[in-house]
Amino acid sequence: MTDLGASAESLLATANEVFAGTRHDSHVQQLQDRFHEPLRVAIAGKVKAGKSTLLNALVGSAVAATDATECTRVVTWYQDGHVYRFDIESKAGRKTPGIFRDVDGQVSVDLGDHDPDDVSRIIVTWPSQALRQTTLIDSPGIGSLSSEVSERTLDFLTSAEDNTPADAVIYLMRHLHSQDVQLLQAFHDVDAAQPSPINAIAVLSRADEVGAGRPDAMESAAKVAGRLAKDPSIRRLAQTVIPVAGLLAETAATLTQSEFNDLSRLAELPVANLQRLLLSADSFSGTPIEVEVSSDTRAELFGRFGVFGLHVATEALRERRALTTASLAEELLQISGLTNLRTLLDTLFVGRARVLKSRSALQGLVSLVGDSEGIDVKDLAAQLERVLASDHSIAELRVLSEIRTGRIVAKQTVLDEMEQLIGAQGDGFSDRLGLARGASNEQLRSTAIESAERWRRLVENPLSSPSLVAAGSTIVRSCEGMVLAVESSS
Amino acid sequence: MTYALGIDFGTAFTAAAVLQNGIAETVNLGNQRAAIPSVVLIREDSTVLTGEAAQRRAITEPTRVVREFKRRLGDPTPILIGGSPYSAEALTSRLVTAVLTEVRQRYGGNPSHIAVSYPANWGPYKTDLLKQALQMAGITGATLITEPQAAAISYAEAERLEPGETIAVYDLGGGTFDTAVLRKTEDGFEILGQPIGIERLGGMDLDAAVLGHVMSSLGDSLADLDEDDPATLAGFARLRQECTAAREALSSDTEVDIPVVLPGAVSEVRLTRSELESMIRPPLADTVNALHQALDSAGVTPDDLRAVLLVGGASRTPLVAQLVGSELGRPVAVDADPKHAIALGAAHTAAAATSTKPATVSEAVTPATATEVPAVAPQPSKPAAAPVTLAPANPATPTPRPSPHPASQADSGTWISQNRSLVGLGAFVLLGLVVAGFLATRGGDDTTDTETAVAVPTAASVPVAPSAPGDSTDTDAATTTGVRLPVRATVDAGSVFAVDKTNPVIGTDLVATLDPPEYASIRQVEGRVIGFIDVVNTSNIQYYDFASFQTTNPERDRNEVWAELAPEAWRNISPTVPDSFEALGLEGRDPVAGISFDAADIYCQYALKRLPTELEWELAARDGSIDVTTVQNWVAFPEEYSDTPAGVAVLRGSFGIEALSVFYRTFGDSPTNRQNAGLRCAADDVVEVPRPTGELLYAREFSGADELHDWPDLHDPNTPDVAYGYHAPDVFHVEVRGSLAVAVGSGQVQADNTTLSADVELRLPDEPNGGFRYGLVANAGPTGYLGLLVQDASVEADGRELRWCVVQRSNPLITATVVGGQSLLENGPCELEGVVSTDATRNTLTVTLTGGNATFSVAGQAVGSVPAQYQADASFGFIAENLDPSILSHVHFDNLTLVSS
């Protein structure tokens, strides 16, 4: 099978020649640059949805300001680099280095005398494992701050200039709100041709608040998320909705040894006492207790963990599920839902980055070709059309995301075979067809033909669900592609 | 006659239209719809089926069918069928060839020019491939036009548009959605901005929502469905069709009941329009967003639009026009024929191009030259070359059938009066020779929606006529080859068939197997009705009434008769207490089950009908006229079928759990009651009872228990001696145990110049009974009423005599709608009386009030008249009275009619 990435790359090169010296010259350059950069994942949501908190949790450092400072009013890009630095890019495209400010251990950026309205974006360079494969984009909250800020985010998400500025999006919501739907829609309008989103997931942020901080808060949140994911208006816009307790995730990602020590001492308190303490922030910090954790420390802990975080952290220590700082951090990341989010990001976005980026590049080219009066793009258009018509990896990616997010109604064995055939268990033909490595071409060919027939039968079965029929047609095409590839190689 | 052809090759459906003599019309490419499914099926022997034929066969040959191949156009990976590769272009060419063949046959010769539409977002690569596909179908030089442009051209034919005006086209088809903004130019339309499409959003998705609704309503009962069970698959395929039909019906209806007939789940699911709308609102909202995007990219605001043109079959959904209209605040133009707007526009385009740029259609379509597609062999024969010459239809030849008996209404096998609980059985009398053909009827009765495709039986099952294929003038062969065909049957390629009377191919193995895409024989097939069959199974109440009545035979022991006729479960209920089966938890309307063949046979005779033949049953089952899964049905003794053991009766159909539906066939001893066995009756003919002329003031033709409430009400809680109700087969039953019952219908008519009539029937033909009389009540009001009464006075069984009597009774006899308990004898003598002879148990009584007189007739004979004072606001109805209060009178009424002359 031809590699979509290679096709996209060669098309970009062709486009570079075709558009050289035209008004689209720089646009093609941007598309090309972007193709070689890490995947761009935007974090979007309404004001106070917990975007910066989640970003910190994902990066593992408190890089993003969580208060409504300038950063949360301007689009901020977080990318990997060797040194800490940040640049302010003006609307005219001019970059000026900026200065970090460190206030009480919280890093923030100072725009100096830049007018926020003239700033196009802030680029934060931050050495981080998490940013090596993805560039995270923090967008200003939509909603109450000011309509201007909201507009800036909408502009950013739906910008026609660069087509899709992000390859994928994580959308944060606290509960279902019409503005959420609108925003998600805005993001997806750029890809109206495909109603099932392959590049968006929604996060029910501040999930611990769903259950008012009770220890079972995450279970309640999971239920709410499940309901949201089934809501038709969300379903068409995001692959899935997962609950994340943002504050706990951020804290867990940056957990310190002294916090571990303090929590261990608190965990020695009788459960009933601790629960009484946790009724309010004041009672937690103000009530005299038998263990040696000062009132100020307790107040800090309360701010860092929240009621829910303190409940689950002390419980984990008391039940000796976590014996070290690292294992507690891991436990808390797990509980907070961040581990789950990271896994999903890896499988749905990072693991398929090349396809997603190719898709972005091809979309960018389609829009350039569509706006090409006075430029001869006929050959390029035909090549582009051929690449899009021949490509099957985007369709397979779509099916994979549909399987992983439970959108396809079918038996588990059917879903398993589907995953295998589209290469989720290994991309080689023998892996896809469930044959031993080194199977002969004839074996591969006949097995692929058999699979195609079996899936065609399934697609035609009146009992198959509509979702299965659509996905099954993709599987048939996958098998047909393998037959062709085997035949042309032998 | 020259004509121009437009073809709309869609993802889900393909349509065609022609323009001839300046008139554009769609071409009926299919039997059921004008558009055919864009489906191709390639059989193992490389025979290619397209459209409806391919669709039909898909369920039995699922691995060989390809649909939605338009999406694959441009994909270098070929489509595999049976391991052989086919390109989407090749499949497209097969479909276009089929369309062209059909059109050529209908319009004679090649079109002067052809235009083919394609999606507006296709670029040079895909349009090139489309041209190649057309070339493979023998078409060169066709005009290609984008779908929205074609739709706009069609719209501009009806609405005048000035150059510079813009419209938006909103195209919601079967499988895809497309929208574009267009500006009228001097000579056509140009597309502004980017057309926007949504790849998997169309009628199919809306249907899927309906199916989802049904599935969730049925819930657990579907948990155990067997995916490999043919009955389940067939049931589900049908359910999908029902969902589509329901979705389409909701375009005009506000609610619809979707029948579900699946193993383990026989039910109905209601769907209201508002429920449907809430399900499809999210996807439709996407379409409106796409429309906004298209407008944005065109730099056009909604206010600039002259109109939004809705095309595509699914755009008929009322919510579409509502959403689009309210979102854009612009007038929405729903094309009169949204499904075919694009094909019609393409036809106009083709006509316009005719003079300038003739397209050529090569004589011999040679798909084998499609080098990319080695596996598609040329078809064995084409219509022009094949010996499909049929003898001219000979109207004298059709299978003789019993002539109707309108004069002798009580003859067994003739159904009396038009009755909506019967369905006509379509069959086809086919004359002549056919070579390997699946025949489809066209023309004829366009109003019927039933499956009308027929084929001929297998060669093995039919005697072969002495004529050779192609020997078309052999009229001897033709005159002996009338054959009644079931809806579908098989024929071997090249066979000549000749069968008379009935087709013997019946049973479990009857599946259509041959459908060449040619429809050469179409006009030689003549559809006709061969009989009628009850739509519903005989119900518990009908059967109880029957069995109960049989126990009154004085010559036989009541218990013995009951034991013979009653289902096993009924043995311990009383044959004399009406509706006593309800104590068993049975509903009156539900089908009776658990009876023997012999009892079923007697029932039909009693109902003045007969058991259906197996052929009739199968015809009705196959075209879906009857429900075949509730109870099994006894069918008439299977004389025609050799595979039935002697003395054994046949049961067809299934019952809930097993649900093998149409194909299930089993046997039983004729006298033995059989669990789950019920029946329905058939008749050869339906005799329409002529209606009196004049304005119909009141007409009640009794045809089922449901209609009791429409009839004059006899019920009076204070007179328990009067009983009334439904009587099989379909009459209004009245019983009087006391002395007198009078029922009057709705009043407020001026009695002058009216004619009242009703059919009345005495159900004890062999027992002359002078004990009671019955008849009509006319001119009933404050001053009394007129009664025309008859009384059985027969002395011999054959040739009946009715003693008739006219009474004028005064107030206060009728003070309400019900009067009971009065003694007739105290109420004076007859005004007039006499005797008429008749040979029927059922006769029409008439009272005409005109010119100051009341004139009476019995069984069509005028019997006399009396002067009468007409009353304003008069009522009318019927009467039954006992002369001997110790007996039970028992009489039936039907067709109560009041006409103003």
Side-chain angles (χ1 to χ4, degrees), chain B residues 341-352:
Chain B
I342 291 170
L344 289 164
H348 281 290
T349 307

Side-chain angles (χ1 to χ4, degrees), chain B residues 777-856:
Chain B
V777 168
N779 195 28
T783 63
Y785 68 90
L786 267 171
L788 169 61
L789 293 144
V790 294
Q791 178 183 350
D792 195 348
S794 307
V795 285
E796 302 196 11
D798 57 335
R800 309 178 64 80
E801 284 187 349
L802 292 181
R803 185 174 296 279
W804 58 266
C805 164
V806 172
V807 296
Q808 271 191 304
R809 292 192 177 133
S810 57
N811 220 21
L813 209 60
I814 298 178
T815 53
T817 56
V818 176
V819 176
Q822 297 276 347
S823 163
L824 168 75
L825 301 172
E826 294 163 11
N827 277 278
C830 294
E831 298 272 325
L832 280 172
E833 53 190 321
V835 174
V836 292
S837 293
T838 167
D839 58 358
T841 54
R842 180 170 174 139
N843 292 290
T844 306
L845 305 185
T846 309
V847 181
T848 302
L849 300 169
T850 181
N853 279 312
T855 310
F856 308 97

Side-chain angles (χ1 to χ4, degrees), chain B residues 118-142:
Chain B
Y118 67 94
N121 57 11
W122 278 14
Y125 174 67
K126 287 190 185 175
T127 44
D128 249 21
L129 290 172
L130 179 60
K131 279 182 203 152
Q132 285 177 28
L134 294 176
Q135 266 164 21
M136 286 155 75
I139 301 168
T140 48

Side-chain angles (χ1 to χ4, degrees), chain A residues 82-100:
Chain A
H82 299 298
V83 291
Y84 299 119
R85 67 172 285 162
F86 85 97
D87 297 279
I88 300 160
E89 191 179 295
S90 74
K91 288 216 167 124
R94 209 179 49 251
K95 280 185 195 167
T96 330
I99 306 152
F100 282 107

